Amino acid sequence: MTESAPARIFPDRTEACRILAAEVAELVRSINNAGRPAVLGLATGRTPLPFYAELIRLHQAGELSFANVISFNLDEYLGLSHGHPESYRTFMERELFSHVDMRPENINIPNGNPDDISARCAAYEKAIRDAGGIDFQLLGIGRTGHIGFNEPGSPRDSRTRQVELDPITREDAAPSFGGLEHVPTHAISMGCGTILEARKIALLAWGDGKASIVKEALTGPITDQVSASFLQEHPDATFYLDAEAGSEL
Ligand code: PGA
């Protein structure tokens, strides 16, 4: 394990999310108290679900407001119809935004049906800069070691752009799409460079299936073949793991 990417191993994901959500709530409050909006980078997939459930609980308990939060999601599939159940915009509405007091104008998710992809990607980068950069970035990790959809070969300095999904990533998404043939082949994703500029990062991973890629990301070579390995060089990136995901460390 490197000093710059510590791992915190919890008995289970519920406990990990309880601790992290309390930390994020405190961060949001302290940034808001300093008179500016908190900028959160958000993730989709199965991994963040218990974290979002805990954020909603804190909101309902009156301990966390999103009224002064700006969000940027990591990625979005290309080409899904508006309102598609698997689109990340739909996911975020269902799992978080519809339950809290986020202002719709403060929600940013890459457009999955852009007319001009490179212009939209450049605008996404500019919107992050204009918001003052990302205070806290939430990440999962794919079996390919991806963060966002930065599949093997994604450069350290990559920015928001169109990406091709790795076959393993598409295979992992196939059950929720009802078959591999329905899984998009491409997406828009923040780049590794975009993600690494976040001031604070938490990567979450649960279960046996993530143990070996977590080990590789944390203790293996820093390489564009495992984009999560770039987190070893980040000054404030922490892996939040359950016992199973941390079992090979
Ligand atoms: P998962 O995906 O949360 O559904 O495991 C993680 C990822 O691919 O980043």
Side-chain angles (χ1 to χ4, degrees), residues 41-110:
L42 300 178
T44 50
R46 287 175 298 278
T47 304
L49 291 175
F51 175 71
Y52 292 150
E54 182 63 12
L55 290 185
I56 293 165
R57 194 191 66 75
L58 289 174
H59 172 70
Q60 290 170 345
E63 292 173 39
L64 173 61
S65 170
F66 292 80
N68 205 9
V69 167
I70 299 174
S71 70
F72 289 90
N73 265 78
L74 284 166
D75 43 21
E76 177 60 288
Y77 290 114
L78 258 182
L80 295 182
S81 58
H82 182 77
H84 190 291
E86 292 303 319
S87 90
Y88 287 161
R89 181 166 285 279
T90 309
F91 174 101
M92 289 306 302
E93 281 298 326
R94 186 175 62 229
E95 305 298 344
L96 180 63
F97 297 147
S98 63
H99 307 280
V100 299
D101 57 343
M102 277 292 294
R103 297 178 203 271
E105 65 272 25
N106 285 348
I107 294 171
N108 298 277
I109 300 177

Side-chain angles (χ1 to χ4, degrees), residues 44-48 140-143 146-149 169 210:
T44 50
R46 287 175 298 278
T47 304
I141 182 169
R143 277 200 296 148
H146 71 202
I147 48 176
F149 275 137
T169 299
K210 297 282 170 80

Side-chain angles (χ1 to χ4, degrees), residues 46 86 170-180 183:
R46 287 175 298 278
E86 292 303 319
R170 293 189 66 238
E171 193 182 293
D172 285 347
S176 43
F177 276 89
L180 187 60
V183 182

